[in-house]
RNA sequence: CGGGACGUAGCGCAGCCUGGUAGCGCACUUGCUUGGGGUGCAAGGGGUCGCGAGUUCAAAUCUCGCCGUCCCGACCA
């Protein structure tokens, strides 16, 4: 603020020339100047609401609207008003400062021609999630959901040599996604601001460095934003990604499930999380140990069968019949391929893990007629016997048998007999049936042991605020970016992509710190750091002291909001508590003793502070140490 | 895209079933009052009842269609 002072005076002067009539005295002019330099509540637009809109469900949504930060324009489309804009601007400022340390900021178009999305193949794969439009000539355009294509287009046109690498390019801009279901205020929207960065390196070792730079920058950004976050290993998808981590903030409003260890640093999302299982003592062998059919009339579920036979579900096999859709390499036609999964009876299958196991293809449960055709038996009695048709994963089109790792090494399990009303005892993998592969298909559940340290795992819902991702060669190859390496050989640069959701930082911060009266933001991202409440605007001593304190702190470099409205103190206190400002100074009767109250919003604890000690007081509290 | 709910003043809601002058609280305007946790009193302003058709002498209310918003699910680079 201070360094912009001369510029501001100039602008204000110029702006006012037009309306500067003879009637306007110099002091009037200076008053106006003062209003602009000092943020006076009485002259600002901060439309606070006593009640939240009926549409709002999650805390941050209700409070953002109540505090006058945002207003809704349509489903998943929001306007940012004065306070909301100040806060997101501060967040962007922090992101920009830290990103400038590792990369270069660009400004890219949101309006993209179809061609570059055709080149990467995403014009079709993005499907309905992409906003599309036509120009007057009928040419297809879309609104950018992310900017791999545009960045890679620049790279392919401009980068020629390994000597130009590495490059880290970033932007902080609006993105558009036609979400099937916008929800939870700013958490899931159709237009939002994102910082996205892209790295180009000559080799994997270079990518490791770029990736690490982003990891460090992200930690600094989220630390400075005052968030309590965790970094988790993420499901990197089937397409080329080798490493991927997500920065998550725990909150019940979140949409993602995150597994984390109570003791050590282990954390992963559900699609990736693993756990150590307590070992199970297998059932004893009866008779000769060969497969033994048992009559289980009407017992279709694992629960039924285990109870009926008087065994734990841990000794049973759950047989799941799925289908994947794959494309024939030669004809290009899609066809289905049966995938039979064996899980321990009490375990849940994770579809993302399954999808990863089969190379990222779409999966769905088998239909009744497909089941009958493959097993010659009805659902409820399926089992691994007679699955000799199971083939190699690469043997396109043929059925495969995937067995969860929890069953590896187990013996004498109980599963369906592929015959109505019958199950089979003494099933042992590798002996009675032969898996295509053992793979981890199981969803971790809370309380299981951490794979690192053995402590209990917890599962929380969380919001993703950042994501770093080793892209590999997907875009550089498909879009034809090439540079010459040291040997003069043409190679595709290896890429990384790195995103941060700006509004999600604000939302997560509010979710982390709110009560029924409002919320409090970390000073670094709050629209104002301090609100000075003049408790009685008719009392000249109080009014003057409020002005003086506000000006003093403003001069010291703080962002100060002076509540000079002619309102009752109760109204001002309620509003101050609502709007997210972390510190409040109540200026009241005690000014006659040169004393004011400082209130920390997070605790609502009040402290009497001498006027002469105000600056000193805040020097101690301010995290960025003015 | 499947399931559910809602749409009446800026916000929160009643009225609809049983058709007949559109109401309450907050907010807003004016005056007085009050001045440390949304002060009190008085007088006001503000509504094509989401849109369109239909039934009817008459529709916020009944019927049909459309649009919009929210919730659950599916989806989520």
């Amino acid at each position: 603020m201070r360094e912009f002072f001369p510029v501001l005076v100039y602008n204000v002067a110029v702006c006012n020339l037009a309306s500067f009539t003879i009637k306007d005295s110099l002091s009037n002019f200076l008053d106006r100047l003062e209003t602009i330099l000092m943020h006076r509540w009485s002259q600002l637009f901060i439309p606070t609401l006593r009640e939240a809109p009926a549409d709002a469900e999650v805390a941050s949504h209700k409070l953002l609207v109540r505090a006058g930060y945002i207003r809704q324009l349509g489903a998943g489309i929001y306007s940012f008003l004065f306070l909301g804009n100040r806060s997101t601007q501060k967040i962007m400022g922090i992101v920009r400062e830290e990103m400038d340390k590792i990369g270069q900021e660009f400004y890219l178009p949101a309006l993209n021609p179809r061609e570059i999305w055709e080149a990467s193949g995403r014009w079709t794969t993005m499907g309905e999630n992409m906003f599309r439009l036509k120009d007057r000539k009928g040419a297809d355009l879309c609104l950018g959901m992310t900017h791999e294509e545009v960045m890679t287009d620049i790279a392919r046109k401009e980068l020629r040599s390994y000597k130009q690498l590495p490059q880290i390019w970033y932007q902080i801009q609006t993105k558009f996604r036609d979400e099937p279901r916008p929800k939870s205020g700013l958490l899931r929207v159709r237009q939002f601001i994102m910082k996205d960065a892209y790295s180009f390196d000559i080799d994997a070792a270079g990518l490791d460095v770029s990736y690490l730079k982003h990891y460090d920058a992200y930690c600094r950004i989220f630390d400075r934003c005052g968030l309590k976050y965790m970094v988790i290993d993420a499901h990197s998808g089937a397409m080329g990604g080798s490493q991927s981590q997500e920065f998550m903030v725990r909150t019940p409003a979140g949409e993602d499930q995150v597994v984390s260890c109570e003791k050590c640093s282990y954390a992963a999302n559900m699609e990736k999380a693993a756990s150590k299982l307590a070992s199970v003592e297998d059932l004893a062998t009866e008779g000769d140990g060969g497969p033994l059919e048992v009559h289980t009339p009407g017992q279709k579920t694992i629960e039924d069968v285990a109870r009926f036979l008087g065994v734990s579900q841990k000794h049973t096999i759950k047989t799941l019949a799925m289908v994947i859709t794959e494309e024939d390499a030669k004809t290009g036609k899609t066809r289905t391929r049966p995938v039979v999964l064996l899980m321990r009876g009490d375990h849940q299958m994770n579809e993302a893990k399954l999808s990863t196991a089969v190379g990222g293809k779409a999966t769905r449960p088998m239909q009744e007629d497909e089941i009958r055709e493959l097993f010659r038996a009805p659902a409820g009695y399926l089992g691994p016997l007679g699955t000799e048709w199971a083939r190699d994963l690469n043997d396109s089109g043929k059925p495969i048998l995937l067995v969860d790792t929890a069953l590896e090494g187990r013996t004498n399990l109980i599963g369906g007999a592929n015959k109505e009303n019958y199950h089979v005892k003494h099933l042992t993998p590798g002996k009675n049936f032969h898996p295509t592969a053992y793979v981890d298909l199981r969803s971790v559940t809370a309380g299981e042991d951490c794979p690192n340290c053995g402590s209990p795992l917890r599962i929380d819902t969380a919001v993703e605020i950042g994501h770093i991702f080793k892209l590999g060669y997907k875009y550089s190859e498909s879009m034809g970016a090439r540079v010459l390496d040291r040997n003069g050989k043409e190679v595709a640069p290896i890429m990384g992509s790195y995103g941060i959701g700006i509004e999600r930082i604000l939302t997560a911060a509010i979710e982390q710190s709110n009560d029924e009266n409002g919320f409090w933001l970390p000073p670094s991202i709050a629209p104002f750091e301090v609100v000075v409440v003049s408790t009685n605007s008719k009392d000249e001593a109080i009014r003057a002291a409020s002005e003086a304190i506000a000006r003093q702190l403003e001069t010291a470099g703080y962002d100060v909001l002076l509540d000079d409205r002619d309102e009752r103190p109760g109204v001002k206190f309620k509003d101050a508590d609502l709007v997210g400002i972390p510190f409040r100074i109540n200026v009241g009767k005690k000014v006659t003793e040169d004393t004011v109250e400082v209130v920390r919003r997070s605790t609502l604890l009040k402290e009497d502070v001498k006027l002469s000690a105000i600056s000193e007081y805040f020097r101690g509290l301010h995290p960025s140490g003015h």
Side-chain angles (χ1 to χ4, degrees), chain A residues 455-559:
Chain A
S455 305
L457 292 173
R458 55 184 282 181
I459 299 180
D460 301 276
T461 58
V463 172
E464 179 187 349
I465 52 171
H467 194 168
I468 54 177
F469 191 82
K470 288 185 182 174
L471 272 180
Y473 298 100
K474 179 173 161 52
Y475 295 92
S476 50
E477 295 233 306
S478 62
M479 296 186 63
R482 300 284 185 273
V483 297
L484 295 181
D485 69 8
R486 276 175 198 77
N487 308 314
K489 198 180 130 212
E490 196 171 70
V491 294
I494 186 166
M495 292 174 59
S497 95
Y498 317 88
I500 288 179
I502 301 297
E503 293 96 331
R504 281 189 171 188
I505 292 180
L506 174 60
T507 310
I510 295 174
E511 289 291 335
Q512 275 186 350
S513 307
N514 71 81
D515 57 28
E516 66 279 11
N517 291 316
F519 60 99
W520 52 98
L521 291 172
S524 57
I525 64 171
F528 292 96
E529 293 157 309
V530 187
V531 53
V532 176
V533 175
S534 169
T535 58
N536 186 342
S537 55
K538 295 220 170 38
D539 184 318
E540 179 53 26
I542 289 175
R543 194 201 60 78
S546 306
E547 296 268 345
I549 292 163
R551 191 171 298 113
Q552 180 193 339
L553 287 171
E554 187 80 40
T555 307
Y558 297 96
D559 285 328

Side-chain angles (χ1 to χ4, degrees), chain A residues 315-339:
Chain A
H315 299 297
T316 64
I317 295 178
K318 187 193 298 193
T319 305
L320 298 165
M322 303 286 291
V323 163
I324 57 177
T325 307
E326 59 184 7
E327 204 171 277
D328 187 286
K330 284 175 194 157
T331 64
K333 284 183 182 167
T334 59
R335 61 179 177 192
T336 60
R337 178 177 191 183
V339 182

Side-chain angles (χ1 to χ4, degrees), chain A residues 21-212:
Chain A
T21 64
I22 296 170
K23 254 165 58 181
D24 290 307
S25 66
L26 182 60
S27 71
N28 191 342
F29 172 79
L30 288 175
D31 278 354
R32 287 206 220 165
L33 179 59
E34 180 65 19
T35 30
I36 292 173
L37 292 180
M38 176 79 74
H39 287 100
R40 292 165 195 277
W41 200 314
S42 65
Q43 306 188 26
L44 297 170
F45 182 62
I46 305 175
T48 58
L49 260 31
R50 203 185 284 227
E51 286 174 287
D55 285 351
E57 195 79 3
V58 301
S60 59
H61 185 194
K62 288 180 186 165
L63 291 171
L64 280 163
V65 174
R66 282 228 289 142
Y69 276 52
I70 60 170
R71 287 294 184 265
Q72 182 169 22
L73 184 61
I77 311 174
Y78 288 87
S79 301
F80 281 75
L81 311 186
F82 179 62
L83 290 187
N85 185 240
R86 276 185 74 92
S87 185
T88 48
Q89 290 294 340
K90 287 195 172 189
I91 293 167
M92 286 187 262
I94 291 172
V95 171
R96 184 169 282 124
E97 274 183 34
E98 295 301 335
M99 286 306 298
D100 280 343
K101 292 176 184 169
I102 66 167
Q104 308 148 69
E105 183 172 11
F106 284 16
Y107 176 82
L108 303 178
L111 199 55
N112 290 189
R114 171 179 182 157
E115 285 68 27
I116 57 170
W117 290 80
E118 286 279 11
S120 71
R122 294 209 290 181
W123 180 262
T124 41
T125 56
M126 281 303 186
E128 299 270 271
N129 269 351
M130 188 150 75
F131 279 106
R132 294 158 205 263
L133 59 158
K134 284 187 192 297
D135 69 14
R136 61 173 68 201
K137 289 182 286 190
D140 288 312
L141 298 163
C142 68
L143 297 178
M145 312 173 68
T146 171
H147 280 74
E148 276 86 359
E149 279 78 3
V150 180
M151 285 287 194
T152 310
D153 182 63
I154 296 166
R156 72 176 169 181
K157 286 172 176 160
E158 309 294 337
L159 295 179
R160 294 285 167 261
S161 158
Y162 74 96
K163 291 177 189 168
Q164 293 172 292
L165 302 183
Q167 289 292 330
I168 292 175
W169 300 339
Y170 82 95
Q171 60 157 0
I172 302 174
Q173 283 172 223
T174 303
K175 312 274 177 196
F176 300 87
R177 286 179 202 177
D178 194 0
E179 288 288 343
R181 188 173 156 211
K183 58 185 280 202
S184 307
L186 295 183
L187 236 35
R188 188 154 213 83
V189 288
R190 297 196 291 174
Q191 169 173 346
F192 56 98
I193 306 170
M194 186 173 172
K195 186 287 302 175
D196 53 331
Y198 304 89
S199 65
F200 300 86
D201 280 279
I202 192 67
D203 55 23
L207 175 58
D208 288 344
V209 174
S210 294
Y211 184 89
L212 209 62

Side-chain angles (χ1 to χ4, degrees), chain A residues 415-459:
Chain A
N418 291 329
K419 181 171 158 190
E420 190 155 9
N421 295 329
Y422 283 91
H423 282 76
V424 180
K425 291 183 171 181
H426 296 158
L427 292 172
T428 298
K431 181 173 151 195
N432 308 102
F433 56 94
H434 300 277
T436 300
Y438 287 103
V439 283
D440 176 23
L441 298 169
R442 178 176 61 94
S443 281
V444 165
T445 56
E448 289 175 358
D449 294 348
C450 171
N452 282 356
C453 73
S455 305
L457 292 173
R458 55 184 282 181
I459 299 180

Side-chain angles (χ1 to χ4, degrees), chain A residues 248-270:
Chain A
M248 310 291 293
V249 173
R250 277 192 192 110
T251 155
E255 301 185 284
D256 296 327
Q257 298 272 301
V258 172
V259 179
S260 61
C261 176
E262 310 251 11
K263 289 270 168 56
C264 77
S265 63
Y266 180 79
N269 67 17
M270 285 297 284

Side-chain angles (χ1 to χ4, degrees), chain A residues 297-312:
Chain A
Q299 311 298 312
K300 288 187 170 185
T301 67
I302 290 291
E303 208 183 342
D304 291 342
V305 173
R307 196 187 309 115
F308 185 80
L309 296 176
V311 299
S312 160

